[in-house]
Amino acid sequence: MLILQCPCCGVEAEETEFAGGGQAHLTRETVGASEENFEAYLFMRENPKGVHFERWRHANGCGKWFHAARCTVTLEVFGTYSAQTTRPPNEICDKITARRPGWSLKDWGSGKFA
Amino acid sequence: MSTRLSSAGRLLNREAAVKFNFNGKYLQGYEGDTLASALLANDQMLMGRSFKYHRPRGVVASGAEEPNGLVNLGQGARFEPNARVTTTELFEGLVAESQNHWPSLEFDIGVVNNYAARLLPAGFYYKTFIHPRAAWKHVFEPVIRKSAGLGRAPKSRDADRYEHFYAFVDVLIIGGGIAGLQAARAAGAAGVKVLLIEQTPHWGGRAPVDGAEIAGKPAGDWIRDTLKALGKMPNVQIRTRMMGAGIYDHGYALAYERLSDHAPDNDLPRHRLWRIRAGQIITTTGAIERPLSFAGNDIPGVMLASAVRDYVVNYAVSPGDRTVVVTNNDDAYRTALVLKEAGLEVPMIVDARPDGGGALAEQAKALGIRVETGTAIAKVNGGKRVTAVEICPQAGEGKSMTLVPCDAVAMSGGWSPVVHLWSHCGGKLIWDADHAHFRPDPDRPPLGADGQGFVSVAGFANGAMGFGDALRDADDAGKAAAKATGGTPKRSAAPKAVDVEMAPMAPVWKMPQGAGYKLRSKMWLDFQNDVKVSDVQLAAQEGFESVEHTKRYTTLGMATDQGKLSNINGLAVLADSLNAEIPQVGTTTFRPPYTPISMGAIGGEARGEIFQPLRRTPTHDWAEEHGVYWEPVGHWRRAYCYNHKGESVEDAVQREVRATRASLGLLDASTLGKIIVKGPDAGRFLDMIYTNMMSTLKPGRCRYGLMCTENGFLTDDGVVARLDEDTWLCHTTTGGADRIHAHMEEWLQTEWWDWKVYTANLTEQYAQFAVVGPNARKLLEKLGGMDVSKEALPFMAWADGKIGGFDTRVFRISFSGELSYEIAVPASQGRAFWDTLLDAGEEWDITPYGTEALHVMRAEKGFIMIGDETDGTVIPQDLGLDWALSKKKDDYLGKRAQERSHMADPERWKLVGLETLDGSVLPDGAYAVVEGDNENGQRKTEGRVTSTYHSPTLNHGIAMGLVLHGPDRMGAVLDFPKVDGTIVKAKIVSPVFYDPDGEKQNV
Ligand SMILES: [Zn+2]
């Protein structure tokens, strides 16, 4: 059971206080989108062995959504940050690189940030 | 025979005799006994039968690892199966019976399986019972069910209480042997908050039994002094009878405390589940001795060497008068010395090592014990009890040279560190060839949120094989854990302990080395599940190379003891069969809990009324007093109907519908979701959330709206009222209130975060009642207040005002097709308003109605219900709701998805009404069939029933359903098979059965 810190209210809490919301930083596709892009938006998700960016909601707390950068193998949490951003903040990426030398944001999200 | 010795017994209180009952016999033990030691003291070595072959089973261990001694414990509401005799403390009046036998423990029919053992090899069930199917159902299954199963399920409601505790500590130490005590002392002295737990009732683990001397005094004295020192530390909490059950992510641990198993009459909960968050966890869980694999090693009287000396030293019980010790290491010599000291006979020590043992072996020889090196047990003689062992060279094939009469065998195959907890959360192991065991790899610990290790292991659990090493290791671990959690460790040395010099152990996985099939098929690995050396070899031969596959194929380690004794031996046999090294084969996964924990403890206080909190509307109590038949809807209880005295549920529903349509009905609709959406961008936001246009709704007006997911499927519906220029009130379904509020918040927070909108879920703030029927307006006019005329408050309008003195908000909306007012009042005034409506409505025979009457009336009107007509795969177009999909909007949630080819497919089943030809009610969920089978060999279908009722208004069965080309096939007759094979014929009609022009609701 993970411990996460909600960046909205500052509370550090047990996983049972949060609800997972899947992969972060999806771009909404809608009317006008090609079949391929719309399919990718609805169904295609990263499943990395290692660094991942996820959406979480402080469901049994302040109710706010936020993002977490986490290692799916070791369960290390690199940091949590606002959901109101389209890309992981630099300070989070720097923290990850410090812990995982050689890691780059370019490797995540099917080249979305390449 | 096994008997009570005249010595004191370290853990016994000889002053306090305790009476108990086993298999109907009254027996006597002492305070401090376990059920195992008390049974042995009464010469009851036979304690159960094995799972598969029903072979006689005696106790083999003395602690949590015991695989054989399982009993049905207690009676009635305190009955529990599979209680381990070795961890069951004796108390006055204890009642136990052996299990897995029929008709009796001494004489068991199922033992016939034993003689058929050659016909029941590994994987037998998989191979045999697949075909023919009929034989499985009528022959194999009934027989297996009769003879299988451990214990039986309790029949009564549990009489005991259980609870959960939460604890937050800096350092959690699991295991109260000398290592745990020293670690706690070192961490405690550093000033951090420490919790030390021990699964047994006693501190100090094996050290006192094994004669350790610590800091110049006997282990018992050192333990007492250490406990005293810990008692003086306010930052250290220590608890016995509390097992570390599991370690999970980020320092989370579960512990299982047994508060009153040993004293059922005290006024405490029986068990307590501790949910602990620790900064650092140290496991000092010791090691478990391994059995040796020789033919007949499962015969009652064959025990672990350590267990034999536990029974002698701790409980003054001798498992036998003449005990042969068989070993591959020095430690087992301690057992021979203890037995000799107690005045018991040790006819021989069988040491598989060609060079024999070290200092302890010399002591044994000095006492005159015969020691044979390079030898093995070829075979144990005996049935329900050991009578002799046959001795042979370890290097040979098992040709017997000597017969040694005896009634007990003490075996030791070496020691395996208890690495379970370390492994639960990802700690890795390394193979230690010197001791032939796996131990924790300190470089690969479980990692916490910061990426650093949060579990360490100390003492014998860490592979330290002497008291001095264990204490030093524990002292280091305690200090390191304290430092990692902000403490300041004291500069102090670990206490010193004297350790005897030990000769190296030798790995012996089979005894003798060259044993043939006959012997190997009598060498037990898993005593409870009857898995033998020959079974694992067969599995390997049949291609089960992965240890996880072998486990499942043979059931090795899958019994209630989870292979605590058998796993390493089984692994070694598998590795040998595969010609591989043991570390290459690897271990199976260690999973929590360490030993079984009670379902009661997992449930804790959550039972009965507080199992789940109930949501009650303001009329809940009134309903209870008026014959309500409840329907659970999420956490709510809604009235399904209100039964008059002697009335059936069906009759009540029909009466409620008729009374409402004829005169006046009253519905508690308070559970409907009420979400306020407010702000300059609220209209724009709702245009995205709903498929239809909400921004154009005029203040004072209502509009029915649909919500879809981004996938295009219908997810909720309800009436939206615009309260003022920038405020909307969204009604949702009962089940949808929290979900839809969360859905709105998700989009506002994660996609359109710059839009100026806020939402509030006011569902519980208002009571809302529907006043329905031709006399609805008369009732409101009688109560007086606001103008509710057609002109002032037309259909699909709303207004605030007073009714009968109450502050109300009145909506002219109808889900029944009748003249209808839905009236909201503050929840605190809900009951008073309800009573007022009932009193004033008496002259029109006002009839409260429940959810089923509501459903019938909406179906008569052809209104859809989320969850009936929709199931997560239905889109608005399927339900003929195209009119609610705005063509003027560029975008809304689900719009793009509904453009996908599958969504526009003309073959999609569409909503129609169904009317049975014979007037009966169609079965719910029934399918309409057509000739022919599909590619799966199933009957082809062309539609299904989504809602079905008896209509009291029309006096015949009505239904709604989704049908292929349905709306184009009015009048066609479909076949709906029933479960009994007969067919109901139903005609496709319009789904609006009642008042198709809506004249009644619009008056
Ligand atoms: Zn929060």
Side-chain angles (χ1 to χ4, degrees):
Chain A
M1 189 153 70
L2 307 177
I3 293 178
L4 295 171
Q5 184 170 41
C6 171
C8 304
C9 67
V11 163
E12 195 173 61
E14 309 256 327
E15 192 175 330
T16 47
E17 213 169 282
F18 302 101
Q23 182 184 334
H25 304 302
L26 295 175
T27 306
R28 181 167 184 258
E29 298 284 350
T30 182
V31 178
S34 68
E35 293 283 74
E36 292 71 26
N37 288 350
F38 192 64
E39 182 196 26
Y41 160 59
L42 274 190
F43 303 118
M44 298 306 178
R45 295 294 181 268
E46 297 297 301
N47 185 19
K49 188 175 178 179
V51 176
H52 197 30
F53 300 91
E54 294 172 328
R55 298 171 354 122
W56 287 84
R57 183 178 179 229
H58 197 180
N60 296 308
C62 70
K64 297 298 184 195
W65 284 89
F66 61 92
H67 289 164
R70 206 166 69 82
C71 177
T72 60
V73 178
T74 66
L75 309 183
E76 180 170 356
V77 178
F78 304 110
T80 54
Y81 56 97
S82 167
Q84 277 117 48
T85 176
T86 52
R87 60 182 292 145
N90 288 337
E91 66 266 26
I92 295 281
C93 291
D94 292 346
K95 270 188 202 166
I96 298 170
T97 310
R99 297 283 306 157
R100 299 282 184 278
W103 175 86
S104 161
L105 184 58
K106 292 189 185 110
D107 303 332
W108 185 85
S110 305
K112 187 179 164 79
F113 300 109
Chain B
M1 63 185 291
S2 64
T3 184
R4 186 79 74 183
L5 300 163
S6 59
S7 55
R10 192 176 73 92
L11 303 177
L12 289 189
N13 177 5
R14 290 278 193 161
E15 307 291 299
V18 173
K19 267 212 301 293
F20 68 103
N21 187 304
F22 179 72
N23 283 352
K25 266 189 305 190
Y26 281 96
L27 303 171
Q28 194 203 287
Y30 292 103
E31 197 179 282
D33 260 324
T34 62
L35 181 53
S37 64
L39 286 171
L40 288 176
N42 286 279
D43 197 26
Q44 184 69 50
M45 176 61 84
L46 182 60
M47 295 186 195
R49 294 268 174 176
S50 65
F51 185 67
K52 190 167 161 191
Y53 302 137
H54 290 233
R55 282 175 65 92
R57 286 283 179 262
V59 71
V60 65
S62 57
E65 66 277 23
E66 171 62 29
N68 289 344
L70 303 178
V71 294
N72 291 323
L73 194 64
Q75 291 169 306
R78 288 209 157 119
F79 173 86
E80 186 178 21
N82 297 329
R84 281 184 308 281
V85 292
T86 50
T87 56
T88 300
E89 294 174 62
L90 200 66
F91 56 85
E92 182 68 31
L94 179 150
V95 177
E97 54 178 24
S98 52
Q99 53 191 32
N100 205 31
H101 55 71
W102 183 79
S104 79
L105 178 59
E106 293 292 324
F107 175 76
D108 176 70
I109 294 283
V111 77
V112 70
N113 287 356
N114 186 26
Y115 303 109
R118 277 200 91 122
L119 305 175
L120 289 168
F124 174 70
Y125 294 95
Y126 297 115
K127 289 169 185 161
T128 310
F129 296 138
I130 294 171
H131 299 287
R133 293 268 170 196
W136 171 255
K137 190 171 172 196
H138 299 296
V139 183
F140 301 134
E141 188 179 330
V143 172
I144 289 168
R145 280 201 187 281
K146 177 107 183 133
S147 63
L150 285 165
R152 53 191 157 83
K155 291 204 176 87
S156 315
R157 190 186 163 83
D158 193 331
D160 284 299
R161 284 186 297 129
Y162 302 84
E163 65 185 15
H164 287 185
F165 257 34
Y166 294 80
F168 298 85
V169 298
D170 295 315
V171 179
L172 168 66
I173 302 167
I174 300 172
I178 57 169
L181 290 167
Q182 181 58 33
R185 192 170 188 170
V192 297
K193 195 172 167 191
V194 176
L195 172 61
L196 168 65
I197 63 175
E198 161 58 34
Q199 62 181 349
T200 73
H202 310 288
W203 295 104
R206 298 206 53 79
V209 177
D210 291 348
E213 269 196 15
I214 303 171
K217 47 194 164 191
D221 294 352
W222 180 84
I223 292 163
R224 201 176 325 116
D225 293 348
T226 306
L227 287 170
K228 212 177 283 170
L230 292 174
K232 287 188 187 137
M233 297 179 178
N235 54 325
V236 177
Q237 190 185 6
I238 65 172
R239 299 193 81 87
T240 53
R241 299 189 174 96
M242 184 157 152
M243 175 199 53
I247 295 179
Y248 307 82
D249 316 337
H250 295 185
Y252 186 65
L254 284 184
Y256 174 64
E257 187 178 18
R258 298 164 65 191
L259 293 159
S260 55
D261 275 346
H262 63 293
D265 294 331
N266 74 15
D267 193 30
L268 291 170
R270 179 164 172 241
H271 300 149
R272 192 180 273 158
L273 190 72
W274 288 64
R275 308 173 67 163
I276 305 166
R277 278 286 179 185
Q280 290 281 310
I281 299 174
I282 306 173
T283 69
T284 45
T285 41
I288 291 177
E289 196 167 32
R290 293 191 295 256
L292 283 166
S293 300
F294 47 82
N297 62 348
D298 71 321
I299 294 171
V302 180
M303 297 169 63
L304 294 173
S306 57
V308 169
R309 61 181 188 273
D310 282 345
Y311 287 114
V312 173
V313 175
N314 288 335
Y315 307 106
V317 166
S318 74
D321 300 328
R322 288 167 59 82
T323 305
V324 167
V325 175
V326 54
T327 183
N328 64 353
N329 64 79
D330 274 17
D331 184 68
Y333 283 83
R334 289 193 167 119
T335 300
L337 298 173
V338 159
L339 288 167
K340 199 77 183 167
E341 203 174 305
L344 297 160
E345 275 187 72
V346 181
M348 188 186 286
I349 297 176
V350 179
D351 192 331
R353 298 170 294 179
D355 301 330
L360 290 168
E362 294 312 315
Q363 281 184 45
K365 284 180 203 160
L367 288 174
I369 302 175
R370 183 175 164 196
V371 177
E372 295 289 343
T373 59
T375 55
I377 289 181
K379 184 170 180 285
V380 179
N381 294 346
K384 287 176 204 154
R385 188 68 207 249
V386 173
T387 56
V389 292
E390 297 178 26
I391 305 302
C392 67
Q394 167 63 13
E397 290 171 6
K399 197 161 179 298
S400 169
M401 301 191 312
T402 320
L403 185 80
V404 184
C406 60
D407 59 355
V409 176
M411 61 181 166
S412 177
W415 289 80
S416 296
V418 175
V419 296
H420 300 61
L421 291 159
W422 166 266
S423 301
H424 284 168
C425 195
K428 298 292 186 289
L429 303 175
I430 44 178
W431 177 250
D432 182 331
D434 289 346
H435 296 109
H437 62 209
F438 284 102
R439 62 178 164 81
D441 180 350
D443 295 332
R444 294 183 294 164
L447 301 181
D450 56 0
Q452 306 299 314
F454 72 89
V455 184
S456 58
V457 187
F460 286 81
N462 199 26
M465 294 311 277
F467 301 119
D469 285 352
L471 288 164
R472 264 193 306 282
D473 194 28
D475 193 61
D476 290 347
K479 286 171 178 165
K483 198 166 171 212
T485 52
T488 314
K490 293 261 183 315
R491 287 169 170 278
S492 58
K496 292 205 169 14
V498 186
D499 281 297
V500 287
E501 202 63 41
M502 297 242 190
M505 61 91 70
V508 171
W509 307 116
K510 221 164 49 225
M511 188 172 251
Q513 186 54 43
Y517 178 79
K518 205 169 160 208
L519 290 180
R520 283 186 275 121
S521 64
K522 291 289 177 208
M523 292 178 187
W524 260 254
L525 291 167
D526 187 319
F527 297 102
Q528 195 180 121
N529 266 0
D530 277 325
V531 182
K532 298 157 294 167
V533 168
S534 55
D535 294 320
V536 172
Q537 289 172 327
L538 179 66
Q541 201 180 309
E542 294 187 349
F544 290 88
E545 298 184 4
S546 148
V547 61
E548 296 284 4
H549 291 163
T550 300
K551 167 178 168 171
R552 280 149 187 86
Y553 193 57
T554 62
T555 73
L556 175 81
M558 286 170 71
T560 61
D561 62 321
Q562 291 282 290
K564 290 187 180 65
L565 296 187
S566 61
N567 275 347
I568 300 297
N569 287 353
L571 201 56
V573 171
L574 180 64
D576 181 57
S577 311
L578 297 171
N579 223 348
E581 297 297 320
I582 290 172
Q584 267 172 261
V585 174
T587 65
T588 51
T589 309
F590 295 92
R591 290 197 175 87
Y594 174 62
T595 58
I597 66 178
S598 65
M599 294 302 288
I602 295 168
E605 301 90 337
R607 59 192 281 187
E609 281 209 339
I610 57 169
F611 176 71
Q612 199 176 48
L614 212 57
R615 298 174 80 177
R616 298 160 202 263
T617 76
T619 68
H620 190 96
D621 292 344
W622 183 91
E624 290 274 12
E625 292 156 16
H626 290 83
V628 69
Y629 179 76
W630 288 120
E631 174 183 25
V633 183
H635 288 185
W636 294 102
R637 289 291 175 275
R638 294 196 72 184
Y640 182 91
C641 63
Y642 303 91
N643 280 23
H644 287 176
K645 231 188 179 97
E647 190 182 37
S648 73
V649 166
E650 292 73 21
D651 289 347
V653 171
Q654 304 283 308
R655 171 180 54 74
E656 289 172 5
V657 172
R658 277 194 298 265
T660 303
R661 292 235 186 270
S663 176
L664 187 57
L666 183 61
L667 173 80
D668 182 354
S670 304
T671 61
L672 287 184
K674 306 167 201 76
I675 300 169
I676 294 285
V677 178
K678 189 177 176 71
D681 291 314
R684 178 189 182 196
F685 173 64
L686 291 177
D687 282 348
M688 290 301 295
I689 292 286
Y690 285 93
T691 63
N692 34 3
M693 196 76 108
M694 289 301 170
S695 56
T696 56
L697 186 63
K698 299 270 179 296
R701 300 293 300 178
C702 302
R703 183 171 290 164
Y704 174 71
L706 301 178
M707 281 184 227
C708 291
T709 62
E710 193 66 316
N711 225 324
F713 300 117
L714 260 175
T715 188
D716 211 73
D717 69 348
V719 171
V720 178
R722 187 165 186 176
L723 300 186
D724 58 38
E725 202 44 48
D726 68 354
T727 314
W728 281 255
L729 169 63
C730 303
H731 287 107
T732 74
T733 59
T734 295
D738 297 319
R739 180 171 56 86
I740 295 302
H741 183 237
H743 171 70
M744 289 178 172
E745 278 297 317
E746 180 177 349
W747 284 99
L748 280 174
Q749 291 180 34
T750 68
E751 187 67 27
W752 304 306
W753 59 76
D754 52 339
W755 295 12
K756 295 184 176 66
V757 183
Y758 74 78
T759 69
N761 184 353
L762 301 185
T763 302
E764 290 180 337
Q765 271 57 49
Y766 292 95
Q768 193 153 318
F769 306 132
V771 179
V772 181
N775 290 314
R777 183 174 290 132
K778 287 182 203 154
L779 168 60
L780 302 187
E781 282 169 351
K782 176 182 173 185
L783 287 169
M786 61 192 288
D787 186 352
V788 294
S789 67
K790 182 180 181 182
E791 294 68 33
L793 193 60
F795 186 53
M796 295 308 271
W798 68 271
D800 284 339
K802 293 243 183 218
I803 289 181
F806 290 86
D807 288 319
T808 63
R809 175 170 291 157
V810 183
F811 305 89
R812 267 295 306 273
I813 53 182
S814 177
F815 199 40
S816 56
E818 299 297 334
L819 171 64
S820 165
Y821 297 84
E822 284 201 14
I823 307 170
V825 296
S828 58
Q829 293 171 50
R831 175 64 194 272
F833 188 55
W834 178 264
D835 290 345
T836 301
L837 290 168
L838 284 174
D839 282 350
E842 213 165 325
E843 63 177 284
W844 296 285
D845 187 26
I846 189 167
T847 300
Y849 66 90
T851 53
E852 188 62 4
L854 161 107
H855 279 233
V856 172
M857 287 191 278
R858 67 93 193 170
E860 289 174 341
K861 276 295 291 179
F863 292 141
I864 64 131
M865 180 69 83
I866 297 290
D868 284 335
E869 276 62 47
T870 71
D871 63 358
T873 69
V874 170
I875 58 176
Q877 293 88 334
D878 299 341
L879 303 181
L881 295 171
D882 307 66
W883 59 267
L885 307 173
S886 172
K887 305 274 184 306
K888 292 187 213 136
K889 295 195 294 191
D890 293 336
D891 196 7
Y892 58 79
L893 295 181
K895 186 174 170 72
R896 172 64 184 86
Q898 287 163 2
E899 291 169 359
R900 288 178 293 174
S901 57
H902 177 61
M903 301 300 207
D905 185 351
E907 303 291 292
R908 288 183 72 89
W909 293 358
K910 293 202 189 281
L911 187 76
V912 292
L914 296 163
E915 198 178 298
T916 53
L917 299 189
D918 62 3
S920 67
V921 178
L922 278 168
D924 202 3
Y927 273 79
V929 296
V930 288
E931 283 311 311
D933 290 345
N934 67 15
E935 57 271 32
N936 296 323
Q938 298 158 322
R939 186 71 180 268
K940 278 187 180 161
T941 58
E942 59 172 339
R944 64 184 167 88
V945 174
T946 56
S947 294
T948 174
Y949 306 94
H950 176 76
S951 162
T953 314
L954 308 171
N955 202 28
H956 59 72
I958 61 166
M960 294 159 85
L962 294 165
V963 174
L964 179 67
H965 305 142
D968 303 330
R969 295 166 65 193
M970 285 296 150
V973 175
L974 305 180
D975 287 349
F976 290 92
K978 294 207 285 191
V979 176
D980 65 9
T982 60
I983 284 181
V984 192
K985 289 192 177 294
K987 190 169 69 180
I988 298 179
V989 295
S990 157
V992 187
F993 292 90
Y994 178 76
D995 187 25
D997 297 328
E999 287 162 356
K1000 288 179 184 293
Q1001 67 195 19
N1002 198 11
V1003 292

